Amino acid sequence: MEMEGQEDQKPLLVTVAGSSGDGRQGAAPASSSSSIAVVVGSTAVAVAGSFEFGISVGYSSPCQPGIMRDFNISIAEYSVFGSILTAGAMLGAFVSGTLADRVGRRCAMAISDLLCILGYLLIIFSQSVLWLDIGRLSIGFGIGLLSYVVPVYISEIAPKNLRGGLATVNPLMICCGTSLAYVLGTFITWHTLAIIGVVPCLLQLAGLVVIPESPRWLARIGHPREFEAALQKLRGKETDISKEAAEIKDFTEKLQHLPKSRMVDLFHKEYISAVIVGAGLMVLQQFGGMNAIFFYANQIFVSAGFSSGNTGMLAMVAVQAPVTGLAVLLMDKAGRRLLLMVSAAGTCLGCALVGLSFLAKIFTGSFSIGMGGIPWVIMSEIFPINMKGTAGSFVTLVNWLGSWIVSYAFNFLLAWSSYGTFFFFASICGLTFVFVERLVPETRGRTLEEIQASFRK
């Protein structure tokens, strides 16, 4: 632990002495500042996709009354519309790793944007429930891709001592997008909210033109010049990248001698621990019930006795967004394991205390500090580059399969028993605490290569 703490205190960047040409030491801060700006800017472009993810998840809740009224559909039919997003996301998750490995992280994000834009246009101009569902399915496919490629891209470009904080911006922006959908949905029509859903995609498409590709992906596909250029851009023009570049090259070259990954290889003894951790966190995240609350918050708060579902949604937003921001600040200080266990204990308590949906404010705050985003951070860290596509697709698919099951069944569970539904979620959250304590390693302050090598041992 002492060594780990010392690692965390090391400078972010190592600047070559005298590289400024005049023997002064003042060049290092400028280089560090410049490199951090590139990393932060690249992260900002990537998390525009996370913002789109959040808007898409939050869209169905405030739009439920308007769409049901305008299309004269039942709760069961609207449940199909709400949950078909996750069906599309499963399709996107299934191909996400392979696609991102073949065309690159930036191109995969661009494809996701185009799918989301197409989906929202179908919703905006739809004249029947069928076209609504097809549009929602297309959006789901897009965010299924984004849910994998955004955290992977961030983890691959960030320095190790900033990786956790930058990676947590991903769930923060998902939270902000969901919150915006909830807030705007109380004042504007579902048509207008669908138009707003296109904006983050357009912003990301513009930003993807200027940000660098993932250096680790470039190293993997055998583009040494582009790899070094991208890494130099991310670390600063005056920074000595030789040590980091050598580590990445060495690790990548070792992996190149391994056979091409297949889904069955995930269950080999070298990778099974990482798969259990990655997939287990995703299953527990979804069966804790959070996505069901996101999708149907309006109805939940009405059933809990609120005069309007909008009041409950706004209260939920007031808690969720600040707590997610707090998680960003704590990620590289408190560590992943501690935040996950605090989050699991809080969500368990939030559900078990009352079992009534109007106390979901407790639940969402606890969820946001850990289980909301850290499973995605860990997923992006624990798999080696030769297995990342296959393993990432599998873990992301597991997440969206769980999300579909919970979101589709939630209305029926709530009709069966609001108490029983939330006590079930509480038991899953309690199990999450035990799972994290027993199986999830701490990844704070370690390079991706160090983390992945530890799992292989």
Side-chain angles (χ1 to χ4, degrees), residues 203-251:
L203 293 175
Q204 187 175 58
L205 283 171
L208 289 172
V209 177
V210 297
I211 65 173
E213 181 55 89
S214 160
R216 286 177 169 86
W217 179 75
L218 291 169
R220 177 182 177 272
I221 63 170
H223 289 178
R225 283 189 178 181
E226 291 86 347
F227 156 66
E228 291 188 4
L231 188 61
Q232 192 74 68
K233 185 175 182 180
L234 288 163
R235 299 297 180 260
K237 197 164 54 173
E238 305 297 332
T239 300
D240 181 3
I241 62 168
S242 58
K243 182 179 178 182
E244 184 178 5
E247 288 178 355
I248 294 172
K249 284 180 181 177
D250 181 58
F251 194 76

Side-chain angles (χ1 to χ4, degrees), residues 418-450:
S418 60
Y419 291 93
T421 300
F422 280 87
F423 279 124
F424 169 74
F425 291 155
S427 66
I428 297 297
C429 296
L431 180 61
T432 302
F433 183 94
V434 177
F435 181 87
V436 172
E437 196 278 329
R438 294 287 182 181
L439 296 176
V440 179
E442 182 55 72
T443 60
R444 175 174 61 97
R446 303 164 73 185
T447 66
L448 296 183
E449 287 71 31
E450 289 169 345

